[in-house]
Amino acid sequence: MEDNKYSLGLRIIHWLMAVFIIGMLCSGFYMKSLPVSNEIKFSIYAIHKACGVTVFGLVVIRILFRAFTYVPPLPANFSRLIINASKAVRFGLYSLMILMPLSGYVMSSASGKGIKYFFHIPLLISKNKELASAVNGLHSILAYFIIFFIVLHILAALKHTLIDKQNIFKRII
């Protein structure tokens, strides 16, 4: 393995999660735009919830991989500011990758609406309309935050590649 690359497992999980999360954001905004009378809305919800369970499982696996596999150091010429900004964005992304599915779970559970995966996910929170409504709002706000952090992540990678002429994409490809 090259010293400047993430482990193969982390690279696969990174791109798999990228596809899932972008798909989840698109489907989330799309289904929110549909009227309740639209029958496809609830089919999308079911798929969205199942994908959310998958994302949560992948982030747990990703955290374990990150803890127990090689993580290449940032380039030596990165300033303290860039290193701290990178750590802050990574922390934000990991936090949101955990909070988004958890808030979705709480919202579904408090709404009394099941989550079908390969099995029925148990709803551990009693039906509570106020909690469901509050967490629905939180889930939506978190979606905008994760978009913000994804954009920061992509812009930073592009800046380092195109302006600084450091191809840091090779670390994750």
Side-chain angles (χ1 to χ4, degrees), residues 105-120:
Y105 171 80
V106 171
M107 181 174 32
S108 286
S109 194
S111 298
K113 295 180 180 157
I115 303 169
K116 293 178 188 169
Y117 198 55
F118 295 110
F119 51 90
H120 284 278

Side-chain angles (χ1 to χ4, degrees), residues 21 59 84-100 142 145-150 152-153:
I21 290 169
V59 77
N84 287 336
S86 172
K87 288 179 180 179
V89 170
R90 185 173 55 248
F91 177 79
L93 283 168
Y94 274 89
S95 298
L96 289 161
M97 289 185 292
I98 293 167
L99 290 172
M100 286 293 296
L142 292 175
F145 273 104
I146 202 164
I147 290 167
F148 174 73
F149 277 93
I150 289 168
L152 281 178
H153 180 63

Side-chain angles (χ1 to χ4, degrees), residues 23-167:
M24 298 277 299
L25 288 164
C26 293
S27 69
F29 285 113
Y30 177 66
M31 67 189 177
K32 281 281 193 183
S33 74
L34 295 173
V36 176
S37 60
N38 190 319
E39 47 207 54
I40 196 169
K41 182 173 187 146
F42 297 99
S43 297
I44 296 171
Y45 268 111
I47 295 166
H48 185 85
K49 290 177 186 183
C51 289
V53 173
T54 302
V55 166
F56 188 75
L58 286 172
V59 77
V60 169
I61 293 167
R62 184 176 181 157
I63 290 167
L64 291 172
F65 259 92
R66 192 164 170 89
F68 296 108
T69 64
Y70 177 76
V71 174
L74 292 171
N77 64 342
F78 273 20
S79 69
R80 177 62 39 207
L81 175 66
I82 296 293
I83 290 168
N84 287 336
S86 172
K87 288 179 180 179
V89 170
R90 185 173 55 248
F91 177 79
L93 283 168
Y94 274 89
S95 298
L96 289 161
M97 289 185 292
I98 293 167
L99 290 172
M100 286 293 296
L102 286 179
S103 65
Y105 171 80
V106 171
M107 181 174 32
S108 286
S109 194
S111 298
K113 295 180 180 157
I115 303 169
K116 293 178 188 169
Y117 198 55
F118 295 110
F119 51 90
H120 284 278
I121 305 289
L123 302 180
L124 301 175
I125 296 168
S126 300
K127 199 167 181 181
N128 181 327
K129 197 173 187 176
E130 294 78 25
L131 177 61
S133 179
V135 177
N136 184 5
L138 174 64
H139 194 70
S140 296
I141 291 166
L142 292 175
Y144 288 104
F145 273 104
I146 202 164
I147 290 167
F148 174 73
F149 277 93
I150 289 168
V151 168
L152 281 178
H153 180 63
I154 292 168
L155 288 176
L158 290 171
K159 180 236 183 236
H160 293 305
T161 302
L162 301 174
I163 296 171
D164 301 341
K165 304 295 185 210
Q166 289 185 305
N167 185 6

Side-chain angles (χ1 to χ4, degrees), residues 8-19 62 153 172:
L8 179 60
L10 268 174
R11 287 182 279 149
I12 291 170
I13 290 172
H14 174 274
W15 292 107
L16 190 58
M17 288 187 75
V19 169
R62 184 176 181 157
H153 180 63
I172 200 69

